[in-house]
Amino acid sequence: MPAATETIDTVQSLTQSGYKWGFETDIEMDIAPKGLTADTVRMISAKKEEPEWLLEWRLAAFAAWEAMTEPNWAKVGYPKIDYQDIHYYAAPKRPAPKSLDEVDPELLAMYEKLGIPLKERAALAGVEGAGMEGVIGSGNPDIAIDAVFDSVSVATTFRDTLAKSGVIFCPISEAVREHPELVRKHLGSVVPVSDNYFAALNSAVFTDGSFVYIPKGVRCPMELSTYFRINAKNTGQFERTLIIADDGAQVSYLEGCTAPMRDENQLHAAVVELVAFDDAQIKYSTVQNWYPGDANGRGGIYNFVTKRAACRGARSKVSWTQVETGSAITWKYPSCVLQGEGSVGEFYSVAVTNNRQQADTGTKMIHIGKNTRSTIVSKGISAGRSDNTYRGLVRILPKASGARNHTQCDSLLIGDQCGAHTVPYIESRNPTAKVEHEATTSKIADDQLFYCRSRGLSEEDAVGLIVNGFCKEVLKELPMEFAVEAQKLLAVSLEGSVG
Amino acid sequence: MLSVNNLQARIDDKEILRGISLDVPAGQVHAIMGPNGSGKSTLGYVLAGHEGYEVTGGSVSFGGADLLAMEPEERAAAGLFLAFQAPLELPGVNNANFLRTALNAVRRARGEAELDAVGFLRLARAESKRLHMPDDMLKRNVNVGFSGGEKKRNEVLQMAILRPKLAVLDETDSGLDIDALRIVADGVNALRSPEFSALVITHHQRLLDHLVPDRVHVLSQGRIVRSGGPELARELEANGYAGVVADAA
């Protein structure tokens, strides 16, 4: 189906129902009282039956957070967040399911509404004992999902297949129990508890997230995927993701998000840590379409995320690809610390803002090792009265001889009330380094739209085509399934931006 | 097919069309000629629905429907096609994808089944071969990096694929060498049928040697000052616009 047809379908379904993913699932919740103290941290840790070392780690993070102030350097504005007016723990009341049969059917129905290809739905519907192999063949091939419903991972799929190759893919709370040595060694090793205000907050109160370990020399046999969804009212969601690729390992990880419609702004402060050893490769792709709020930005998600990768090993490679269309506020800088000699960092980003959305996003590439290379391609699209800022840092340290960076930042404006800003920081302390920065700003011209319309395309289709063309370099980095979803999202999030 | 009655239009505060009346019956090709600034291109834009022009009077009927009440994309769906004098570039938009999206939008609006990728490519390859266009033009981005001649041929390709009932060709011959001119003329001639009409806007008689019109209209200062058969084009070529326009004035 061509993108334009899908655009029409999607736009129609949207105009009929408002935010398509704005439904609420009625599942009994176990909620902590509002507010954040050391006792809240202890309560979360106790609820999750965590070992002592992790409680200490959380308390250290909480102490660091209490001593910090909220950063204000980003080009975003929002009413002051009352951190004492938020629930820090919400979990479905039932105990964690032992098998998929125990998964709440309502939850599975919700995933169905969201279009999540949770293969187990087919398995559950089919004959008991039907092998996963048979299920993989139907529909979407080879994607394993760790679905995060508010704060507790409910179902992790394909674990048997993955286990055969030695891959660990499970909720991080389970990894704390089952693989404590791996978690203890790497948790906070890329993003320390006191790294920044939001990372400290996350470290103190994170409730769940995904854990991935790919052993030496293993190429993960399928794409790993996590769907995030914020559900309970006034619950901050504090996901924690840790991915470790040992020597020569390879993995592609997909993260996608939708959130139901809300009246009050919701806080989201996730931390993602990636560790790549010698010759390891991690590809991390995100499609983020959280509720952006209404036309005035009311009710949208506040998204303050710390994502960082450590390319520890020689010739290791980490590639971040993100398509950010949602949230009222996006504050996000997926970064690479290029320690290993010849290691490679990549950042491909599309950020779309419409109406009153604000996005301040970009990356940091820290070149430490010799002959390290990084590529940054950022595409910002602003429409309505939104503000879209690229903020990036390329830092070349003295020992990084032969380091290379190429940065390309393109902005596309739709209408005349939006803003696009590019704030690149470049620091080179090695004379052999080569750093390049290119930036362009363009506008969708009325004549381009007229040209398309004179060929029979609606204005929405025309904008969709031009925007998808503008983002092509980034979209082609996405895995196939995501690329299709991303195209739809681009069109939907720009709905009503012209005319 | 097309019936223009006392059409008046302006851009900003400048009157450009000052009362144009014109009938193009189905199956006929009419040529619009005239000096620079006479309003030829404006006529094309107004017929296609460019929002930069304000229609201040008159009416246009297209296949019995009120053309001026339609959005540009509705006009395309109804069977109107404007070949642009300066086709727009669409960076990043693949030509084949653009054409297929356009064709399917038009087919949907006409209640016809959409073409899948395979069916479309078969059609597009056949048409581009007929127009002597290299296959890779379908793969390139719309008009980006095209030579002037390639852009014009791309317009004719779009026309051949969209199969309009009325094509308005706005100086499609300008910037073409004689071979390209013949290819473009052949492209239009191939569409000629009792159901197809064309309004060919041109500066020169050259195109009309290959694309013989049923009628020729001379436009000056926003009005049609003379109409005649194909011989009028040759008279203009011999005597220039000055004589004809002065006669009328």
Side-chain angles (χ1 to χ4, degrees):
Chain A
M1 193 157 59
T5 317
E6 288 180 331
T7 306
I8 287 173
D9 292 348
T10 325
V11 168
Q12 268 174 358
S13 64
L14 244 141
T15 42
Q16 279 154 16
S17 64
Y19 182 66
K20 187 174 163 189
W21 293 279
F23 46 81
E24 217 171 296
T25 303
D26 193 13
I27 291 177
E28 278 190 84
M29 306 288 290
D30 181 7
I31 286 187
K34 281 181 179 177
L36 181 53
T37 63
D39 281 343
T40 320
V41 175
R42 285 193 189 92
M43 176 262 183
I44 291 169
S45 192
K47 277 266 182 202
K48 305 193 75 69
E49 297 168 25
E50 287 176 351
E52 189 61 26
W53 67 264
L54 189 50
L55 174 62
E56 293 303 322
W57 190 84
R58 285 178 181 277
L59 289 170
F62 178 70
W65 178 74
E66 274 200 307
M68 295 164 109
T69 49
E70 202 172 322
N72 62 2
W73 42 262
K75 192 172 164 43
V76 292
Y78 51 92
K80 200 168 163 44
I81 299 169
D82 183 354
Y83 290 90
Q84 300 304 331
D85 193 35
I86 294 172
H87 294 286
Y88 286 88
Y89 184 80
K93 255 186 180 167
R94 302 171 190 207
K98 300 279 181 295
S99 75
L100 285 158
D101 297 339
E102 294 175 27
V103 172
D104 192 322
E106 253 195 82
L107 197 54
L108 293 175
M110 182 179 82
Y111 286 133
E112 195 162 354
K113 261 195 267 182
L114 276 168
I116 294 176
L118 200 70
K119 297 302 177 304
E120 277 62 25
R121 289 207 306 260
L124 284 170
V127 183
E128 196 172 314
M132 281 302 157
E133 266 45 66
V135 182
I136 295 172
S138 67
N140 251 352
D142 303 344
I143 299 180
I145 296 168
D146 179 19
V148 180
F149 176 70
D150 275 17
S151 306
V152 176
S153 285
V154 181
T156 303
T157 63
F158 286 118
R159 292 179 59 175
D160 289 349
T161 316
L162 292 171
K164 271 182 209 154
S165 54
V167 172
I168 303 168
F169 178 33
C170 66
I172 199 159
S173 51
E174 185 183 317
V176 168
R177 287 193 303 273
E178 307 290 328
H179 311 282
E181 67 301 331
L182 278 173
V183 177
R184 196 169 180 177
K185 186 173 170 196
H186 295 290
L187 187 72
S189 73
V190 186
V191 179
V193 291
S194 57
D195 186 82
N196 67 69
Y197 188 80
F198 298 109
L201 178 64
N202 172 286
S203 302
V205 301
F206 78 88
T207 42
D208 223 324
S210 295
F211 176 81
V212 177
Y213 174 76
I214 316 288
K216 278 188 179 142
V218 170
R219 188 177 179 155
C220 187
M222 59 185 73
E223 310 254 9
L224 303 181
S225 173
T226 299
Y227 277 79
F228 290 100
R229 190 172 161 82
I230 301 175
N231 200 284
K233 204 165 185 168
N234 284 340
T235 309
Q237 185 157 3
F238 304 96
E239 293 300 329
R240 188 91 197 184
T241 300
L242 176 58
I243 299 176
I244 302 151
D246 216 327
D247 293 349
Q250 287 184 27
V251 62
S252 169
Y253 188 89
L254 321 179
E255 174 201 325
C257 324
T258 58
M261 197 177 277
R262 285 289 166 218
D263 293 324
E264 288 167 62
N265 290 301
Q266 281 183 297
L267 176 64
H268 183 91
V271 172
V272 175
E273 295 177 283
L274 311 183
V275 184
F277 289 99
D278 285 357
D279 298 296
Q281 293 189 15
I282 302 175
K283 183 177 173 64
Y284 193 104
S285 313
T286 305
V287 171
Q288 186 266 111
N289 63 330
W290 281 332
Y291 184 53
D294 62 15
N296 292 312
R298 272 193 306 262
I301 301 289
Y302 291 176
N303 191 21
F304 299 96
V305 183
T306 305
K307 289 183 166 177
R308 194 175 303 155
C311 288
R312 295 241 166 93
R315 299 165 304 277
S316 57
K317 178 178 174 185
V318 168
S319 183
W320 297 103
T321 306
Q322 61 173 25
V323 175
E324 305 280 319
T325 64
S327 296
I329 292 177
T330 301
W331 181 100
K332 182 179 172 188
Y333 316 90
S335 305
C336 295
V337 180
L338 303 166
Q339 273 172 284
E341 201 171 315
S343 58
V344 176
E346 294 175 338
F347 174 74
Y348 300 97
S349 170
V350 171
V352 180
T353 53
N354 195 1
N355 297 318
R356 292 280 186 170
Q357 279 179 277
Q358 305 170 68
D360 193 306
T361 185
T363 185
K364 287 190 277 186
M365 294 290 176
I366 314 295
H367 293 254
I368 297 173
K370 280 188 185 132
N371 299 318
T372 46
R373 284 174 289 143
S374 60
T375 303
I376 298 170
V377 179
S378 164
K379 304 276 182 178
I381 299 154
S382 338
R385 306 179 69 171
S386 66
D387 252 315
N388 202 324
T389 304
Y390 168 81
R391 189 183 302 275
L393 168 67
V394 177
R395 177 179 287 158
I396 315 278
L397 293 174
K399 286 182 180 161
S401 303
R404 297 248 154 108
N405 162 267
H406 182 83
T407 299
Q408 189 192 327
C409 285
D410 298 322
S411 304
L412 184 68
L413 302 171
I414 303 173
D416 53 13
Q417 294 190 73
C418 52
H421 318 273
T422 301
V423 191
Y425 302 83
I426 298 171
E427 300 170 18
S428 181
R429 287 194 259 155
N430 185 302
T432 64
K434 279 190 188 161
V435 180
E436 299 167 336
H437 181 94
E438 284 178 47
T440 67
T441 302
S442 52
K443 193 169 182 258
I444 295 186
D446 289 347
D447 276 345
Q448 284 176 316
L449 290 179
F450 174 64
Y451 185 65
C452 295
R453 293 178 74 193
S454 77
R455 299 303 182 247
L457 297 172
S458 68
E459 204 158 56
E460 305 283 358
D461 283 357
V463 170
L465 266 183
I466 293 170
V467 165
N468 276 304
F470 175 75
C471 302
K472 207 185 318 191
E473 273 172 282
V474 173
L475 297 181
K476 73 178 170 54
E477 295 295 325
L478 286 173
M480 190 61 184
E481 304 78 7
F482 255 26
V484 172
E485 190 180 340
Q487 284 196 357
K488 276 196 245 181
L489 278 174
L490 288 180
V492 167
S493 52
L494 288 168
E495 191 223 351
S497 60
V498 286
Chain B
M1 182 76 259
L2 178 76
S3 182
V4 180
N5 183 24
N6 193 28
L7 182 64
Q8 298 151 54
R10 66 179 178 197
I11 187 162
D12 301 327
D13 282 334
K14 203 173 156 206
E15 292 291 328
I16 309 219
L17 303 184
R18 300 157 187 260
I20 289 190
S21 296
L22 177 70
D23 273 298
V24 185
Q28 290 200 1
V29 171
H30 287 207
I32 302 271
M33 301 184 73
N36 284 332
S38 57
K40 302 191 298 292
S41 290
T42 298
L43 177 61
Y45 279 140
V46 169
L47 291 177
H50 195 296
E51 282 162 0
Y53 298 88
E54 189 193 345
V55 174
T56 50
S59 62
V60 180
S61 150
F62 180 59
D66 179 2
L67 187 74
L68 299 177
M70 298 183 199
E71 295 292 330
E73 58 269 32
E74 293 170 336
R75 301 181 195 205
L80 183 83
F81 181 89
L82 171 65
F84 282 57
Q85 186 181 151
L88 278 293
E89 298 185 0
L90 303 176
V93 180
N94 171 281
N95 210 16
N97 187 28
F98 173 70
L99 271 172
R100 186 158 80 96
T101 310
L103 177 63
N104 281 335
V106 165
R107 289 177 73 109
R108 260 199 319 277
R110 292 174 186 167
E112 297 167 12
E114 293 184 29
L115 272 191
D116 63 14
V118 177
F120 171 78
L121 270 182
R122 196 176 298 134
L123 170 72
R125 287 217 181 96
E127 293 293 347
S128 58
K129 198 171 171 194
R130 236 163 32 83
L131 293 165
H132 301 274
M133 287 170 52
D135 265 1
D136 81 325
M137 263 171 79
L138 284 168
K139 293 180 198 149
R140 285 155 64 184
N141 292 335
V142 180
N143 295 325
V144 178
F146 284 32
S147 70
E150 285 177 330
K151 283 183 183 173
K152 296 303 176 72
R153 269 189 276 175
N154 200 28
E155 295 291 286
V156 178
L157 173 68
Q158 294 181 23
M159 178 179 73
I161 286 171
L162 293 174
R163 297 263 160 190
K165 293 191 179 112
L166 174 81
V168 180
L169 297 131
D170 186 6
E171 301 210 9
T172 302
D173 53 332
S174 66
L176 294 184
D177 60 35
I178 193 72
D179 291 334
L181 189 76
R182 192 171 292 134
I183 289 166
V184 164
D186 288 349
V188 180
N189 282 328
L191 292 179
R192 286 181 101 151
S193 79
E195 288 83 43
F196 173 79
S197 325
L199 200 55
V200 181
I201 296 169
T202 182
H203 222 57
H204 305 288
Q205 190 234 338
R206 211 172 53 150
L207 175 64
L208 304 179
D209 287 341
H210 303 281
L211 185 57
V212 182
D214 297 287
R215 299 283 290 165
V216 175
H217 309 278
V218 181
L219 202 59
S220 174
Q221 295 184 9
R223 287 190 188 92
I224 290 177
V225 293
R226 233 182 114 180
S227 297
E231 70 286 348
L232 179 56
R234 284 191 288 278
E235 186 191 327
L236 286 168
E237 189 74 7
N239 304 333
Y241 289 112
V244 174
V245 171
D247 280 358

